[in-house]
């Protein structure tokens, strides 16, 4: 009996063990359907009205998860939440994950675990895991905030924020923190932010909004 309990306890420990990441680094970008670089007065006016949708993308430059190499592969998460993402009362969102079509089955599973680990409660309810070619590139620009993401049904294009041109109230700041953990990012403007796929029971299109973050991520 004691042996059975010991085996059961060991199995539970192994099941509950977190994913082991070996120095994963890469590019990260996200965008929401509300301004993240904004003044409190503008943000307050948007609470529970906008910002319920978002896209997040990771491109691994180097690293592995649970001994599975993810070098050069990407994963995208598209979110649909009940409230403005970033508010304290925001619960888990419904998510569609898009994994790199070049990934093997083992890499596909690891990419899904990577996204869940980085986004926490926002990717607890996964409606679908899809596969597509994914391109995430950074373009040369002054503030290194110009990116283009193309994952088929999910597209995003960002540009640098101009502190003068994009100013609306004179009190702008990075109001909402980034959704993902372990990222180093700069606010950016989303020139184009589109989801035209299935799985969320909705699609959306958003243009020219100060609603993006661009940068890098690292898991030690």
């Amino acid at each position: 009996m004691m042996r059975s309990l010991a085996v059961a306890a060991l199995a539970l420990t192994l099941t509950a063990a977190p994913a082991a990441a070996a120095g994963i680094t890469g590019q990260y970008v996200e965008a929401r359907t509300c301004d993240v670089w904004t003044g409190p007065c503008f943000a307050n006016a948007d609470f529970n009205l906008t910002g319920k949708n978002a896209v997040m993308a990771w491109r691994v430059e180097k690293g592995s998860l649970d001994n599975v190499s993810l070098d050069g592969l990407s994963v995208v998460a598209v979110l649909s939440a009940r409230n403005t993402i970033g508010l304290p009362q925001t619960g888990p969102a419904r998510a569609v994950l898009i994994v790199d079509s070049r990934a093997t089955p083992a890499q596909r599973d690891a990419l899904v675990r990577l996204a869940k680990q980085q986004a926490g409660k926002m990717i607890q309810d996964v409606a679908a895991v899809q596969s597509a070619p994914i391109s995430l590139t950074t373009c040369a620009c002054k503030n290194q905030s110009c990116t283009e993401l193309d994952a088929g049904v999910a597209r995003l294009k960002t540009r640098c924020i101009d502190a003068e041109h994009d100013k609306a109230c004179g009190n702008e700041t990075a109001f909402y923190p980034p959704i993902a953990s372990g990222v180093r990012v700069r606010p950016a403007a989303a020139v184009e932010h589109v989801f035209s796929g299935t799985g969320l029971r909705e699609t959306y299109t958003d243009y020219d909004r100060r609603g993006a973050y661009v940068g890098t991520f690292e898991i030690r």
Side-chain angles (χ1 to χ4, degrees):
M1 178 66 176
M2 291 187 66
R3 176 179 171 80
S4 298
L5 290 175
V7 171
L10 176 61
L12 179 61
T13 301
L14 291 175
T15 300
I24 302 179
T25 59
Q27 292 177 265
Y28 174 78
V29 62
E30 73 174 60
R32 312 184 203 183
T33 52
C34 68
D35 289 0
V36 297
W37 190 76
T38 186
C41 55
F42 282 82
N44 290 338
D46 287 339
F47 285 176
N48 295 321
L49 297 176
T50 62
K52 299 179 182 182
N53 296 101
V55 63
M56 312 165 68
W58 299 261
R59 182 183 184 279
V60 178
E61 293 177 350
K62 188 172 182 60
S64 61
L65 187 65
D66 294 333
N67 297 316
V68 178
S69 174
L70 299 178
D71 294 4
L73 297 177
S74 302
V75 59
V76 175
V78 186
L79 309 180
S80 175
R82 295 181 179 180
N83 300 307
T84 302
I85 296 171
L87 295 182
Q89 67 268 32
T90 302
R94 185 176 177 86
V96 167
L97 299 182
I98 306 171
V99 297
D100 202 310
S101 59
R102 298 173 299 155
T104 65
Q107 289 173 325
R108 175 188 174 102
D109 292 343
L111 288 169
V112 170
R113 291 197 298 276
L114 171 66
K116 287 183 174 181
Q117 177 179 313
Q118 291 292 285
K121 70 176 184 179
M122 296 309 296
I123 305 184
Q124 288 182 4
D125 180 11
V126 177
V129 178
Q130 304 168 1
S131 178
I134 300 175
S135 173
L136 176 56
T137 58
T138 300
C139 309
C141 61
K142 180 180 178 181
N143 295 325
Q144 299 180 328
S145 299
C146 303
T147 63
E148 291 191 26
L149 168 69
D150 187 348
V153 297
R155 302 191 310 277
L156 173 63
K157 183 176 181 179
T158 69
R159 63 168 175 81
C160 298
I161 283 180
D162 185 314
E164 295 300 323
H165 176 268
D166 292 308
K167 185 181 296 184
C169 68
N171 194 29
E172 283 83 1
T173 185
F175 186 85
Y176 293 105
I179 302 170
S181 61
V183 298
R184 300 181 64 181
V185 293
R186 301 167 296 279
V191 178
E192 178 186 39
H193 174 196
V194 175
F195 175 65
S196 57
T198 59
L200 294 183
R201 299 191 291 266
E202 65 174 319
T203 59
Y204 64 85
T205 301
D206 204 36
Y207 292 103
D208 199 25
R209 187 186 293 275
R210 306 172 302 174
Y213 282 113
V214 174
T216 60
F217 75 98
E218 180 175 7
I219 308 173
R220 297 186 181 276

